[in-house]
Amino acid sequence: MAFSPADGAPAGAPAGAPAGASAAAPAGPRPSRPSSPSGRRSARRHRRPWSLRTRLVFSAVGLIAVVCAVIGTVTTIALHTYLYDQVDKQLSGVAMRVAGPPFGIGKTPLPDSGGGRWTEDIRDTVAGPGQPMGTLAAEVGDGGELGDSAISSQHESTTGEPRISGSSLTSAQRKALSQVPRDGAEHTVDIPDKGEYRVTYVIGGHGDFLVGIPTAEAQNTIDTLILAEVSVTAAGLVAAGIAGAAMVGISLRPLRRVAATATRVSELPLHSGEVALSERVPSSEADPRTEVGQVGAALNRMLGHVESALAARQESETRVRQFVADASHELRTPLASIRGYAELTRRGREEIGPDTRHALGRVESEAARMTGLVEDLLLLARLDAGRPVERAELDLSPLVVDAVSDARAAGPDHKWRLELPDDPAVVYGDDARLRQVLVNLLANARTHTPPGTTVTARVYPSPYPASRVSLEVEDDGPGIPPDLLPHVFERFARGDASRSRAAGSTGLGLAIVHAVVTAHGGQVTVDSVPGRTVFGVHLPVHRSSVHRSSAHRSSTGLPFTGLPGPGLPRTRRPYAKPLFISPSPTHRHPTG
């Protein structure tokens, strides 16, 4: 960092900036913190919530910790008061031995056997018999200044034996002692190099003195008690946490069984079909005399109501399905008769007018449309009833070729493309029903997209899961409206004008696709944005035929009889005639 020689501020800092302020910003970005209350509330909402077991254990341990803290604090204060009272009583006895008993006015000097000075006498006094180790005393003059002072200490004599004697106080110790109030009460003073003392001012027959004794012994006892309390409390909290977690876990075990029952019920396919809702909370966990039992009993009652409702729904659906199947079956013969008589009348020998001929044509057209609707309803009713489809080994590639050929003939104003794998895409399914799936998907793309739209049909092995073959029909049309997309496979689902029933669609094509693919154990998906709509059919692979050769595929597949469109690339495949294929080295993964 460069500094300006004029004012000592960093070079490049703005004028008036304090010295030492850096002109450059920190190199790394500072972590952002939510500054607004709403941001802090959002951060708290996204925290992982504590489980009931954790909250109960922590609440119990916290309560025990508070109780232990209160007990320890009260015990420590009581012991502190008691010990310091004992120290104060001891201090009163020491002070009386130093200052002597009060006897009226005047001062009586200490006995002096050798005619020595007062300093020697006060040293002998603090080190005399009965005085605690570390006793200190200082004479207070008439002006309040400290006179002779001494403190007892222990050291070894010349003979090696311990000897107690008095020594003078240092200037720092005298200064700390001089700050003690002269009120006759006991005060706690920190004496340099000696620690904490209880000091009092006393007046006696020998004069005025400041006398003190150390509190180290009492303080050590209190510190030992605090350490013992902390240790015992910590050990108790750990033990309480472990025992509490075990006890709470055992107490919540019935609640976990109730939750497991609810989870199993939530995993059942309740949205369609006949549902056997036999899951119930065990009777041992449904005792209304306990809180968990009340929850279990309420859940059992709710499951009973749900089972009754599902049974009623299934019965109603069965009646409706049977009615649709019967009505569709019964309508097939009258519709065939209507079409036959209309065609016979139109082709008869009798001369009919143009209006009558037009009316007969309309009757045939509407009868044909009605027949298609009846056939679709009958197929859906049979699939809903769970009637199994015929299954055989089937290669999807020839089916796609034939379906695209038919779609190109029906919609020459669209651009049709094929993307097929080199290896056979063998599944185990119903040839007629899977052809109907392809026809419906291609007809949907042809009907609901404008002329010039490119429609691509592709087959490829699905990378995930690897045991499936995917078939996709993609177009670059206007797309499906977002509000219609979740309902596109429902019966009679209709969109806006961009995907209307312009060609007389019954509205059941995609519903049939979904029902047929589901009956084959597969899945159908849709992904649509403006300019790209993809319908995906994902079927299980028939593993016994995966490794068949291309020669076998050529012998089982049907040749492509349609002619390639102008300007389309021609790639030879193992079929009787060349295909118009746009090879794609990489395939798009299915969506949905």
Side-chain angles (χ1 to χ4, degrees), residues 216-241:
E217 185 176 353
Q219 192 61 44
N220 290 339
T221 303
I222 296 174
D223 293 342
T224 302
L225 174 65
I226 294 175
L227 179 61
E229 289 175 341
V230 171
S231 301
V232 172
T233 301
L237 292 178
V238 172

Side-chain angles (χ1 to χ4, degrees), residues 528-560:
S528 180
V529 294
R532 183 176 181 273
T533 299
V534 181
F535 283 89
V537 174
H538 314 289
L539 298 171
V541 174
H542 188 240
R543 293 191 176 276
S544 63
S545 303
V546 169
H547 301 291
R548 298 204 172 198
S549 63
S550 298
H552 177 75
R553 173 184 171 187
S554 178
S555 63
T556 58
L558 297 177
F560 172 55

Side-chain angles (χ1 to χ4, degrees), residues 446-525:
R446 183 187 74 248
T447 304
H448 301 297
T449 56
T453 301
T454 300
V455 181
T456 304
R458 66 173 62 91
V459 179
Y460 62 91
S462 179
Y464 182 81
S467 60
R468 291 191 174 233
V469 171
S470 295
L471 184 153
E472 289 185 351
V473 175
E474 177 181 350
D475 66 72
D476 56 359
I480 304 174
D483 55 343
L484 177 63
L485 195 59
H487 312 285
V488 72
F489 294 110
E490 297 178 2
R491 298 170 190 184
F492 303 105
R494 299 181 182 181
D496 55 11
S498 64
R499 300 186 75 90
S500 61
R501 300 191 311 162
S505 171
T506 62
L508 297 175
L510 294 181
I512 292 176
V513 169
H514 184 271
V516 171
V517 174
T518 303
H520 282 78
Q523 182 184 13
V524 59
T525 59

Side-chain angles (χ1 to χ4, degrees), residues 325-383:
D326 294 342
S328 301
H329 182 76
E330 295 297 330
L331 285 175
R332 296 170 71 185
T333 301
L335 288 173
S337 300
I338 291 173
R339 292 180 61 188
Y341 281 115
E343 184 178 359
L344 179 62
T345 304
R346 182 170 53 84
R347 296 183 178 183
R349 295 181 179 180
E350 297 182 2
E351 191 69 26
I352 57 177
D355 293 340
T356 304
R357 185 177 299 275
H358 176 71
L360 290 175
R362 291 298 302 156
V363 169
E364 290 184 40
S365 175
E366 292 302 319
R369 181 175 178 274
M370 189 57 129
T371 301
L373 176 60
V374 169
E375 294 289 346
D376 291 345
L377 288 173
L378 183 58
L379 174 61
L380 286 173
R382 289 172 176 174
L383 292 175

Side-chain angles (χ1 to χ4, degrees), residues 92-108 110 202-207 209:
S92 299
V94 172
M96 182 171 293
R97 285 194 294 271
V98 171
F103 62 94
I105 302 175
K107 298 180 181 180
T108 302
L110 287 173
V202 62
I203 302 174
H206 301 156
F209 293 90

